[in-house]
Amino acid sequence: MTTQAIEKPVDTEVTPRERTRNRRTYRPNVDIIEKSDELLLIADMPGTTTENIDVRFENGEMTIFGKVPDRQKEEVRYVSQEYGVGDYLRTFQVSEAIDAEKISAEFTNGVLTLHLPKTDRVKPRKIAIKEG
């Protein structure tokens, strides 16, 4: 049974959100895995720390933000620069099939894992058959 618990990401909408920080922002790569009792949302966010991650759920939207500190504390003249440093931002629409009160998160080795438990009404269940 596949649920549409996470709809298309909000950040792909025609009108992007306005940002107040003048800093490069990246969309973290995310895998979404469906299990019988929950969805797992796994986001790659290297360079940030647990203290610098903010996950919010409000009005059916889940927003993931990760602040990444600058690599260089002083002005540096690069000969070549291929690695971009910036914050992470991604927003998803979450359906009512998710129990918002039980959402949990963990962050290990640059990977944020969100556990989005399904509500009881959408979880698969076995129907008991009475002898008749």
Side-chain angles (χ1 to χ4, degrees), residues 40 58 61 66 78 80 82 103 115 128 132:
L40 292 177
E58 185 176 2
E61 287 186 2
Y78 287 95
S80 174
E82 295 180 356
I103 295 173
H115 298 268

Side-chain angles (χ1 to χ4, degrees), residues 33-50:
I33 300 169
E34 183 172 15
K35 295 186 168 192
S36 62
D37 60 341
E38 71 176 347
L39 292 178
L40 292 177
L41 192 145
I42 303 166
D44 290 334
M45 299 173 69
T48 190
T49 62
T50 304

Side-chain angles (χ1 to χ4, degrees), residues 71-82:
R71 289 192 298 170
Q72 305 294 332
K73 300 298 180 196
E74 67 228 21
E75 192 67 31
V76 173
R77 183 174 164 256
Y78 287 95
V79 174
S80 174
Q81 183 181 13
E82 295 180 356

